[in-house]
Amino acid sequence: MNAILEMLKNPSVQMSHEEIKEAFALLRFRSDQFSRLAARNFKLDQIVEFDARDQHWVGKVKKVNQKTISVLTSSPQVMNWNVSPNLCRAV
């Protein structure tokens, strides 16, 4: 996979617009797969933590969606968040 990324970074490699769109779609698909797998590790009312807006947040899982986790934070303030499960850690 690193070879593919290096190839995409190289401006001298000639790719058509369609090839770039196809590569992007494949990467997006893989990213979505990782998010879905990570979301399965979280349960309702589980305490989680994540970092966003240059702060550390702690909250409770309210809903597990396919690609995001809905979290009601209690620290540093009460807010609702939709967070990628790849960014959450169980406390």
Side-chain angles (χ1 to χ4, degrees):
M1 187 65 162
N2 287 338
I4 294 170
L5 293 176
E6 288 304 316
M7 183 185 75
L8 291 173
K9 290 179 187 177
N10 186 346
S12 66
V13 173
Q14 297 297 314
M15 293 178 72
S16 71
H17 184 69
E18 289 303 315
E19 290 171 325
I20 293 171
K21 284 175 39 179
E22 184 177 350
F24 180 77
L26 290 170
L27 291 170
R28 181 61 174 227
F29 176 75
R30 290 288 295 193
S31 176
D32 290 349
Q33 278 184 321
F34 284 123
S35 291
R36 286 186 190 103
L37 286 173
R40 293 180 187 171
N41 295 324
F42 295 98
K43 307 292 181 227
L44 293 179
D45 294 326
Q46 182 178 8
I47 304 297
V48 296
E49 63 183 1
F50 61 95
D51 298 315
R53 295 187 185 169
D54 296 326
Q55 290 187 350
H56 183 76
W57 299 84
V58 177
K60 190 181 283 191
V61 174
K62 288 299 172 189
K63 185 177 180 183
V64 179
N65 301 309
Q66 273 192 345
K67 297 181 191 175
T68 62
I69 307 285
S70 294
V71 178
L72 178 63
T73 59
S74 55
S75 171
Q77 67 186 50
V78 177
M79 289 180 70
N80 285 309
W81 291 82
N82 287 327
V83 184
S84 169
N86 297 322
L87 301 176
C88 288
R89 299 171 298 280
V91 176

